[in-house]
Amino acid sequence: MNVFATFLKTTAIATISIGTALSAHAADLSGFSATYTVKADGKNGTATRTLSKNGNSYNYTVKASAAGIASVNQSASFSLSNGKILPSSSNMSVKIFGVGNTHNIKFNNGAKTAVSTYKGKSTTLKMSGQAYDDLSLEAQIRQELINGRFSGSYQLVKKTNIETTRFKKSGNSKITVPAGTYDVVRIDRVHDDKGRATSFWVAPSLNYLPIKVSQTNDGKTITMELSKVH
């Protein structure tokens, strides 16, 4: 798969674009929209992430494109209850050189199951604890960081299984991106593959919105930087 397309497909969970940049209360996510620039191998791309709210129901969408060769569209629906995110459904559509596929997930939190459908094949998965899709996990981590309860270990629904996804805090610094200069906290994803590295820098002043992301895979590095938030 094209390295640029691969990055777009995995950006959601790599970035932890976690909730709203403008929320005044940790327990109540507000709507937001953030735009990023993506760079790799001399090529440029863009990504926009939008969170909208209707009562206690939320819809989170991500649209990304790169150099006219790849695009990713994601959406997720979830609710917020007692400071915890409860996912209900998600959809991801990926196109590379005009060829695409989709991945849909439907959650039954009461029965502790999730139905994952990929390329028309559905798999019912049992959740040992609360599991998430990429975007609802972002919202959950945002809640934890704001409330100072970052666990760093989460259950993520994949195509045919549920796997543990881990992160760790790696220090504080100040960085400058197209949107401005921010004090940030660096968080690294823990990969089993030593040839991969994912780091992102989130701004506490923006309720832990990601400011910069860097992903290295097989010696190739792709970066994403915040260009605008409102």
Side-chain angles (χ1 to χ4, degrees):
M1 180 180 291
N2 176 278
V3 64
F4 217 68
T6 300
F7 179 75
L8 289 179
K9 186 176 180 181
T10 59
T11 290
I13 197 59
T15 62
I16 309 303
S17 177
I18 37 183
T20 175
L22 303 174
S23 173
H25 304 286
D28 186 15
L29 297 176
S30 300
F32 82 100
S33 181
T35 304
Y36 297 82
T37 59
V38 185
K39 297 182 180 180
D41 293 339
K43 301 179 179 65
N44 296 321
T46 60
T48 301
R49 316 176 76 83
T50 303
L51 180 70
S52 58
K53 177 183 178 182
N54 182 10
N56 195 41
S57 297
Y58 299 83
N59 188 56
Y60 197 2
T61 62
V62 175
K63 295 183 178 181
S65 61
I69 60 175
S71 66
V72 174
N73 287 287
Q74 285 181 274
S75 65
S77 297
F78 53 84
S79 61
L80 180 62
S81 177
N82 295 321
K84 294 188 178 298
I85 298 297
L86 297 177
S88 56
S89 65
S90 72
N91 177 74
M92 175 185 283
S93 175
V94 179
K95 286 188 177 181
I96 303 170
F97 295 112
V99 179
N101 59 65
T102 61
H103 181 206
N104 302 303
I105 305 170
K106 291 188 179 298
F107 294 86
N108 186 330
N109 296 306
K112 295 186 177 180
T113 61
V115 178
S116 173
T117 303
Y118 180 68
K119 291 185 176 181
K121 182 179 180 180
S122 296
T123 305
T124 299
L125 304 170
K126 185 68 176 179
M127 299 189 296
S128 58
Q130 184 62 62
Y132 306 89
D133 59 273
D134 288 348
L135 299 184
S136 63
L137 175 55
E138 294 175 9
Q140 175 63 30
I141 294 177
R142 176 259 178 179
Q143 287 293 108
E144 293 184 9
L145 287 171
I146 291 175
N147 292 317
R149 300 172 183 172
F150 177 64
S151 70
S153 181
Y154 311 91
Q155 297 298 302
L156 180 66
V157 177
K158 307 294 284 186
K159 296 182 181 74
T160 59
N161 68 304
I162 297 177
E163 65 179 38
T164 300
T165 303
R166 299 182 301 276
F167 303 87
K168 65 178 181 179
K169 292 182 180 180
S170 300
N172 304 328
S173 63
K174 184 188 293 288
I175 63 173
T176 299
V177 295
T181 299
Y182 301 90
D183 292 313
V184 294
V185 177
R186 175 176 168 173
I187 296 180
D188 295 327
R189 183 172 179 178
V190 180
H191 291 289
D192 294 330
D193 182 355
K194 296 187 181 299
R196 298 179 62 192
T198 303
S199 299
F200 55 95
W201 294 257
V202 295
S205 65
L206 297 181
N207 278 4
Y208 296 93
L209 192 75
I211 303 304
K212 178 181 178 181
V213 180
S214 176
Q215 180 173 323
T216 300
N217 192 8
D218 294 330
K220 296 183 178 181
T221 299
I222 304 177
T223 61
M224 183 177 74
E225 296 182 341
L226 181 68
S227 58
K228 186 177 182 180
V229 61
H230 54 83

